Amino acid sequence: MPLFTILGTDSTVGRRLACELRGHGHQVQTLSDDAAPGGHRALGHVVFALAPTDDPSPMSSASGPPPLDRLAGLLQGARFESLLYVSSTCVYADGDRADEEAPLPLEPPDPSRLAWLTGESMCLATQAPTVRVVRLAQVVSAEGDGGDGWVAQLGREAAHGRIVLRGSLQSARDYVHIDDVVRMLPAIAMRGRHRLYNLASGRQTTHAEWAERLVRRYGCRVEVVADAPLQRTAPIDITRLREEFGFTPWPALEVLPLPAADRWMRAAAGPQPPMVHLPLHERTPCSRSLQAACSAYTR
């Protein structure tokens, strides 16, 4: 079976990917923080899932060389069959398009986006056709995966009875299910015909949809800050993955399974929190469950 070397196994993506690969009989190894990639034995298929910044996020390196230095060491001196650099769709920023051939916005990027772009440039500047980049949308995972994203945080708040939205109910972005991520990363690493891929759901999910799902799951109250901004980006294009791999994404909302119907009906029959009074531009079609769970909230 193919050998995989994963950097970033302390992240949700890296941890789940390692488990998935081992479950299918693949050999999986990791590099310690102080390992010299050039002097390491053959690495097989490398998946570089370390965030390029030095912030204390679950995808950042806790010690040892900065992630981009480690990437440079791999590209310059390591022996591998392929290297897949896990980047982010945030590189598209507020551009009009979000496909792999789209020109990226020229305005000065924020430090995080600049770091992702630097890592991508290091990979795509090599001549090796097996060095590839995959841009991930916001990854969502089940509660048991210890997710660290926005949806995971909302879930933790909902479990305590209240969520606070700081963006408009109409705000939306692309969220990709963790199961799709761990399924597609090995396929791209071993069989990808292109150097760059978007890995996303291809569909934008609104704050209203997440809020409704959380209300139905937890019976929580939803609060929206006053003058919450509308946050939207261009839809992420996944045509390349669909055509090359027959990729059909899993609905991101399914990371929050609904409770049994009788439990929901009992919750719906109980006392309901007051309705939010939103400005006209905030009004959006939503179910009674969401309307009943919303309340005005001002900091």
Side-chain angles (χ1 to χ4, degrees):
M1 297 293 280
L3 167 66
F4 281 83
T5 299
I6 303 175
L7 288 84
T9 50
D10 55 347
S11 70
T12 301
V13 170
R15 182 172 61 253
R16 276 291 307 275
L17 178 60
C19 291
E20 181 79 3
L21 289 169
R22 291 189 177 108
H24 285 83
H26 296 289
Q27 301 178 66
V28 178
Q29 64 182 11
T30 61
L31 289 181
S32 61
D33 288 336
D34 58 354
H40 205 276
R41 63 184 181 276
L43 303 178
H45 299 283
V46 177
V47 179
F48 194 96
L50 284 172
T53 59
D54 58 358
D55 60 46
S57 68
M59 282 188 66
S60 65
S61 179
S63 62
L68 289 180
D69 287 354
R70 302 193 69 195
L71 177 62
L74 287 167
L75 293 171
Q76 293 168 4
R79 292 189 298 130
F80 52 78
E81 294 183 52
S82 72
L83 187 148
L84 182 61
Y85 177 69
V86 181
S87 183
S88 168
T89 55
C90 76
V91 300
Y92 294 115
D94 295 325
D96 296 329
R97 291 168 45 198
D99 60 87
E100 293 90 346
E101 304 301 326
L104 299 178
L106 297 178
E107 74 272 6
D110 61 71
S112 177
R113 179 169 167 257
L114 178 60
W116 289 119
L117 288 170
T118 301
E120 288 191 9
S121 298
M122 291 166 60
C123 292
L124 298 177
T126 69
Q127 299 301 310
T130 58
V131 175
R132 305 179 181 91
V133 172
V134 58
R135 292 170 175 165
L136 287 189
Q138 178 67 54
V139 179
V140 290
S141 58
E143 296 156 308
D145 285 328
D148 59 316
W150 178 76
V151 173
Q153 177 60 36
L154 283 186
R156 288 189 285 271
E157 292 180 11
H160 288 86
R162 187 189 77 168
I163 64 174
V164 178
L165 298 178
R166 293 173 175 80
S168 157
L169 287 173
Q170 294 176 333
S171 293
R173 66 182 301 178
D174 193 303
Y175 301 86
V176 61
H177 198 293
I178 185 67
D179 289 352
D180 286 332
V181 174
V182 300
R183 173 169 61 97
M184 294 308 302
L185 288 181
I188 295 170
M190 293 188 291
R191 305 194 303 275
R193 299 199 300 264
H194 294 83
R195 301 288 306 280
L196 177 62
Y197 293 86
N198 285 334
L199 179 44
S201 69
R203 176 189 183 278
Q204 292 190 321
T205 304
T206 65
H207 283 16
E209 290 176 286
W210 284 116
E212 179 179 353
R213 193 80 173 192
L214 289 163
V215 168
R216 295 182 65 187
R217 179 168 172 77
Y218 295 102
C220 60
R221 184 176 67 177
V222 178
E223 299 177 349
V224 182
V225 298
D227 302 318
L230 177 64
Q231 303 162 330
R232 298 184 78 99
T233 58
I236 307 299
D237 188 289
I238 58 171
T239 302
R240 181 168 291 179
L241 273 189
R242 289 187 187 276
E243 293 181 347
E244 185 172 335
F245 294 97
F247 175 57
T248 301
W250 189 256
L253 288 168
E254 293 302 317
V255 299
L256 296 172
L258 295 178
D262 60 338
R263 178 181 168 190
W264 161 237
M265 291 177 67
R266 287 197 301 270
Q272 296 295 328
M275 183 184 299
V276 65
H277 297 286
L278 297 170
L280 183 61
H281 73 278
E282 286 283 346
R283 297 189 185 277
T284 184
C286 54
S287 72
R288 289 183 181 178
S289 61
L290 178 56
Q291 292 176 353
C294 287
S295 62
Y297 178 76
T298 306
R299 285 289 185 193

